Amino acid sequence: MDIISETRCFDGVQGVYMHASSVCACDMTFAVYLPPEAKDGPVPCLWYLSGLTCTHENAMTKAGLQAHAAELGLAIVFPDTSPRGDKVADDEAYDLGKGAGFYVDAREAPWAAHFKMESYIVRELRTLVEAEFPVADRHGITGHSMGGHGALTLAMNHPDLFQSLSAFAPISNPTRSEWGRKQLAAYLGTNESLWADHDATALLKTKGWKGDILVDQGASDKFLDLLNPEALASALFETRTPSVIRMQEGYDHSYYFVSSFGADHMAWHAERLFA
């Protein structure tokens, strides 16, 4: 693991790192924020998954989560959204290829050689973070848009790895959305039976979630039809999953929205990770 930068931030450290990923077969960059409490021992850890076109840097610089993490004593991990490099397959469209890994393990060419984002997050990067940073075995996960989809699906598929869950404007029902069907077909193939494990609405009905869920959605989000929060809300009620799902008047899909409700999400995770 190479240190790209380490910067003092709210008496903690905001770091950016690079390592050679055997899972993605390329170099991967990620960021970790350590609060002041990490100097004295391991702290709980929140994973933040970003959305389409983003890297590790977007939420790190725009979401303003470090101040809340420092106050609460939480570490934050900001992974990248896809493999990178000249040898990694890409597409001219912004919503497929680099920056659009959708947090799945691709099975189809040309994506299968590198696009293994599910295994990268829950296995390789998780192992690296626990080995190299003072984090306790208490992990929460959240994310925005595509990253909200990733947070919900990874938590439900790997419940033993996460103790708390939330999402900002998640892609809630990708098997029924243009933000989902295109990518799932490209990465997993046209057999739609393989897609259900990567759809939060479907997963609630098949695997469920062991705890409660916080979801915030901007009511003025221009991508509402693609995100389909109604499907997620319906599944939460149908499965009687304890949850708080809020439609926030006047808010859009931007990081202004994420930063406005970041404190609520950080407090949500801290309450559960320190329990």
Side-chain angles (χ1 to χ4, degrees), residues 176-192:
R176 297 292 178 264
S177 170
E178 291 180 16
W179 275 0
R181 293 186 61 82
K182 171 185 177 179
Q183 295 81 4
L184 294 174
Y187 296 143
L188 302 179
T190 56
N191 181 357
E192 295 189 21

Side-chain angles (χ1 to χ4, degrees), residues 157-228:
N157 281 318
H158 305 276
D160 293 343
L161 296 182
F162 302 102
Q163 286 73 51
S164 59
L165 174 59
S166 76
F168 299 87
I171 300 174
S172 299
N173 195 195
T175 61
R176 297 292 178 264
S177 170
E178 291 180 16
W179 275 0
R181 293 186 61 82
K182 171 185 177 179
Q183 295 81 4
L184 294 174
Y187 296 143
L188 302 179
T190 56
N191 181 357
E192 295 189 21
S193 67
L194 299 176
W195 300 2
D197 277 351
H198 307 284
D199 183 309
T201 297
L203 279 169
L204 277 169
K205 301 174 185 179
T206 56
K207 296 184 178 180
W209 170 243
K210 61 185 179 182
D212 47 9
I213 304 173
L214 170 63
V215 178
D216 273 304
Q217 171 64 60
S220 296
D221 191 326
K222 66 180 180 180
F223 302 117
L224 272 174
D225 290 342
L226 295 169
L227 302 171
N228 198 0

Side-chain angles (χ1 to χ4, degrees), residues 137-154:
D137 189 22
R138 298 287 295 173
H139 295 255
I141 189 166
T142 189
H144 174 232
S145 193
M146 179 185 74
H149 142 79
L152 294 169
T153 58
L154 294 186

